[in-house]
């Protein structure tokens, strides 16, 4: 039986929607966050609401088979890679973890882990990310936050959708265990925010080569309608060109 978990009500500031071209926001210093390495630009933004503290998982470990195995995370628009855009979209998370190959160039202010075995699917990646976050909080003798954002690495316009998902966590009823995105009737398993403890519980076993949707649907997530332009992903070279992320920053991990 899945238990309903209660978490403490730590809060963080939710910024206004990030304008197009703005890649990161200023956030107050958090002792759980790794030091800023100076590479993330800080901007002043209007504070809009108070949201519960959250952590984030970026799934970046696929084979990119429809991109001729060109590392998807490294596709660039000339200024930023898909990995950088995903990390920026989750920039207000207390801790962020990227799940992908060991040689993936993850910035020093994010955690890094790998699904086991490698290339065993996004569900296995989420299991690995959740365990990495749990271990990181345990090492700091801190409880994980109430919520965990999950994103794929291949949705470069996802920032406004993240803000909309976060807004639903404000005063969320206790029985609400998660919110996942739906765009034009298509559910987006890798665009969602869930209560950390029950999310970790459902991914605890059997995630290898399994469907993410088969796990998260156990939490009965509430559907949040999102703009399909914000959830557009890069799976093929045609999509990469359409979204402007067609220049490989690196050719191999």
């Amino acid at each position: 039986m899945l238990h309903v978990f209660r978490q403490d009500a730590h809060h963080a500031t939710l910024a206004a929607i990030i304008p197009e071209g703005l890649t990161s926001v200023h956030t107050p210093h958090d002792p759980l966050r790794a030091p800023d390495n100076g590479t993330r630009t800080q901007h002043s933004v209007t504070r809009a609401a108070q949201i519960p503290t959250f952590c984030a998982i970026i799934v970046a470990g696929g084979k990119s088979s429809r991109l001729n195995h060109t590392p998807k995370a490294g596709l660039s628009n000339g200024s930023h890679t898909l990995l950088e855009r995903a990390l920026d979209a989750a920039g207000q998370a207390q801790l962020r973890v990227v799940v992908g190959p060991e040689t993936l160039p993850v910035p020093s202010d994010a955690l890094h882990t790998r699904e086991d075995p490698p290339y065993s699917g996004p569900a296995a990646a989420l299991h690995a990310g959740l365990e990495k976050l749990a271990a990181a909080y345990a090492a700091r003798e801190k409880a994980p936050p109430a919520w965990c954002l999950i994103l794929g690495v291949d949705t470069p316009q996802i920032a406004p959708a993240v803000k909309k998902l976060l807004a639903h966590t404000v005063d969320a009823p206790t029985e609400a265990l998660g919110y996942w995105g739906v765009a034009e009737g298509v559910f987006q398993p890798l665009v969602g925010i869930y209560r950390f403890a029950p999310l970790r519980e459902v991914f605890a076993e059997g995630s290898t080569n399994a469907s993410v949707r088969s796990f998260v649907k156990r939490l009965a997530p509430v559907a949040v309608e999102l703009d399909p332009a914000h959830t557009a992903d890069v799976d093929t070279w045609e999509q990469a060109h359409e979204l402007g992320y067609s220049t490989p920053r690196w050719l191999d991990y």
Side-chain angles (χ1 to χ4, degrees):
M1 177 180 294
L2 183 65
H3 298 90
V4 174
F5 293 79
R6 297 179 183 273
Q7 299 278 352
D8 55 10
H10 294 303
H11 285 76
T13 301
L14 175 62
I17 291 179
I18 301 174
E20 187 64 29
L22 185 63
T23 60
S24 60
V25 298
H26 173 74
T27 54
H29 171 70
D30 189 314
L32 283 178
R33 287 288 297 273
D36 194 320
N37 63 5
T39 62
R40 299 171 69 195
T41 305
Q42 295 184 342
H43 299 266
S44 296
V45 293
T46 302
R47 294 184 176 183
Q50 294 294 311
I51 59 168
T53 303
F54 68 100
C55 54
I57 302 172
I58 309 298
V59 176
K63 292 183 177 180
S64 304
S65 57
R66 287 189 281 176
L67 291 165
N68 306 116
H69 302 287
T70 301
K72 184 185 295 187
L75 291 180
S76 172
N77 65 353
S79 300
H80 302 92
T81 64
L82 289 177
L83 177 59
E84 289 167 343
R85 291 305 298 262
L87 285 166
D88 282 344
Q92 289 189 298
Q94 191 179 67
L95 288 178
R96 301 169 299 170
V97 59
V98 177
V99 186
E102 292 83 354
T103 52
L104 189 67
V106 174
S108 61
D109 62 349
L111 303 172
H112 187 192
T113 192
R114 186 72 194 271
E115 72 275 12
D116 184 25
Y119 302 118
S120 52
L126 288 173
H127 167 69
L130 288 160
E131 294 309 307
K132 183 72 172 183
L133 287 166
Y137 282 104
R140 293 161 171 80
E141 298 183 344
K142 300 287 186 180
W147 297 91
C148 183
L149 174 73
I150 62 174
L151 294 176
V153 76
D154 57 355
T155 50
Q157 311 300 334
I158 201 65
V162 169
K163 181 181 184 290
K164 191 170 185 179
L165 289 168
L166 290 172
H168 279 77
T169 66
V170 179
D171 298 323
T174 303
E175 63 271 17
L177 299 183
Y179 299 89
W180 65 354
V182 57
E184 295 184 329
V186 178
F187 286 91
Q188 310 287 328
L190 288 180
V191 181
I193 190 163
Y194 303 88
R195 293 193 187 271
F196 182 90
L199 184 68
R200 185 185 179 200
E201 181 179 325
V202 298
F203 278 96
E205 296 181 355
S207 60
T208 300
N209 296 317
S211 161
V212 171
R213 182 169 180 165
S214 69
F215 286 90
V216 297
K217 71 179 183 181
R218 301 177 198 174
L219 303 177
V222 178
V224 177
E225 187 67 37
L226 301 176
D227 187 330
H230 298 154
T231 61
D233 59 359
V234 176
D235 279 328
T236 67
W237 282 116
E238 181 181 3
Q239 293 168 332
H241 285 288
E242 287 176 355
L243 291 172
Y245 285 79
S246 57
T247 303
R249 182 76 64 84
W250 55 83
L251 296 177
D252 199 359
Y253 289 119

